[in-house]
Amino acid sequence: MNRLLEDKVALVTGGGTGIGRASALALANAGAKVVVSGRREKEGFETIGLIKRNGGQGTFIKADVSKESDLEVLVAQTVATYGRLDVAFNNAGIEGEVGKQTHEQSLANYRAVMDTNVLGVLLAMKHEIGAMLKNGGGAIVNNASVGGLIGFPGVSVYVASKHAVLGLTKTAALEYAKQGIRVNAVAPGGVETPMLHRFTGGPRTEFFNQLAGMHPVGRLGRPDEIAEAVLWLCSDKASFVTGLTLTADGGWTAQ
Ligand SMILES: NC(=O)c1ccc[n+]([C@@H]2O[C@H](COP(=O)([O-])OP(=O)(O)OC[C@H]3O[C@@H](n4cnc5c(N)ncnc54)[C@H](OP(=O)(O)O)[C@@H]3O)[C@@H](O)[C@H]2O)c1
């Protein structure tokens, strides 16, 4: 266990699976008390079980990031349980419909993806920042994607949503810089998670292998590799870093 987040209280949305789970574990391993959130209880409690097995502390609180009342309660319960909020990883996201070109996009897909990926991040920051201002500061990391930096055929709404996450991140970084709240983003390349398996049609499919090959390092990322970037951005080691998009993509966007 490292002590980078000793005595800190952290919140992770979408912490029941994938990158969110790995990050919740990394934050807890650094000494933070971690509130894990998501819509599915079983997965959320599994993450809490893993945190506790490693000697960490955490609690699951069910919340849907597209609902403002859920986020209001989530942040209020976090503060009621642990006394404050110092760190937040706004990670919850969905890919939406995959393999549809722009002229085939549906309004339902647009609304579902934007409500989770963009509205969810905006509302999360709104309530987290309210709590952090009361502590005199904090650190927020939003999960974007390489899809926030470049296009990707077949997922135009997802790509638009991740570009929007970076806009929200940079603007909030400027707005709260003087109040001690740092706001950064991670932009992962392809990372082997349930989302990636849905996106590619499953592990070792032709598209899965093709996607892995798009990364100059010749492979997909692991959730714990993104968690390391999240942990660093959340910690005081990154005390002069705000408004950054930290790309962790095996070199994809360097091409
Ligand atoms: N895997 C990749 O290659 C990759 C690359 C770049 C960026 N990302 C981003 O990384 C983030 C995590 O994705 P992942 O790859 O780890 O996939 P994942 O395992 O599917 O995780 C997504 C998480 O978001 C939660 N979630 C979805 N909708 C939600 C909602 N309305 N309210 C609350 N929680 C919600 C899900 O939990 P519930 O269903 O229980 O709510 C789930 O735990 C996403 O923002 C994704 O866009 C992933």
Side-chain angles (χ1 to χ4, degrees):
M1 195 183 262
N2 65 67
R3 307 314 310 177
L4 283 176
L5 297 179
E6 186 83 67
D7 297 328
K8 303 276 189 194
V9 177
L11 172 59
V12 178
T13 68
T17 58
I19 295 169
R21 171 176 284 178
S23 301
L25 288 168
L27 299 177
N29 198 42
K33 299 177 187 91
V34 181
V35 172
V36 169
S37 185
R39 294 166 303 176
R40 285 170 295 168
E41 296 185 7
K42 180 173 165 282
E43 287 76 359
F45 281 116
E46 272 170 15
T47 301
I48 298 302
L50 293 168
I51 286 174
K52 291 190 171 161
R53 215 170 303 154
N54 284 349
Q57 291 185 66
T59 308
F60 173 73
I61 300 175
K62 185 173 173 167
D64 180 335
V65 295
S66 67
K67 296 185 178 146
E68 180 155 25
S69 54
D70 279 23
L71 284 167
E72 199 174 351
V73 170
L74 173 63
V75 171
Q77 280 189 7
T78 300
V79 173
T81 306
Y82 293 125
R84 53 193 290 124
L85 177 66
D86 302 292
V87 162
F89 180 37
N90 298 320
N91 160 77
I94 57 170
E95 68 282 17
E97 291 172 1
V98 174
K100 294 217 166 136
Q101 295 199 352
T102 299
H103 75 282
E104 299 167 317
Q105 289 292 334
S106 69
L107 192 55
N109 185 53
Y110 176 88
R111 292 208 163 124
V113 172
M114 289 295 183
D115 276 2
T116 306
N117 297 5
V118 185
L119 183 63
V121 169
L122 173 65
L123 293 174
M125 285 206 290
K126 175 178 169 181
H127 292 282
E128 291 156 1
I129 288 167
M132 287 175 180
L133 287 171
K134 292 181 189 148
N135 306 338
I140 293 175
V141 177
N142 295 321
N143 201 347
S145 166
V146 290
L149 298 165
I150 55 174
F152 197 95
V155 279
S156 56
V157 176
Y158 178 80
V159 165
S161 76
K162 293 302 187 177
H163 276 71
V165 168
L166 295 183
L168 290 171
T169 302
K170 288 180 215 172
T171 301
L174 298 176
E175 288 174 345
Y176 301 100
K178 290 215 166 48
Q179 286 149 294
I181 301 175
R182 296 184 298 102
V183 187
N184 293 292
V186 284
V191 180
E192 209 171 338
T193 67
M195 178 186 285
L196 186 119
H197 290 159
R198 291 192 299 271
F199 185 74
T200 58
R204 318 307 149 214
T205 57
E206 194 182 335
F207 185 34
F208 177 101
N209 292 332
Q210 199 186 333
L211 190 66
M214 287 177 184
H215 297 73
V217 296
R219 66 171 176 87
L220 294 164
R222 299 186 312 270
D224 64 281
E225 292 178 304
I226 309 307
E228 286 297 331
V230 173
L231 172 60
W232 181 74
L233 286 170
C234 288
S235 78
D236 289 343
K237 298 263 183 201
S239 53
F240 199 50
V241 179
T242 195
L244 177 75
T245 301
L246 203 168
T247 310
D249 68 351
W252 186 346
T253 52
Q255 297 175 99

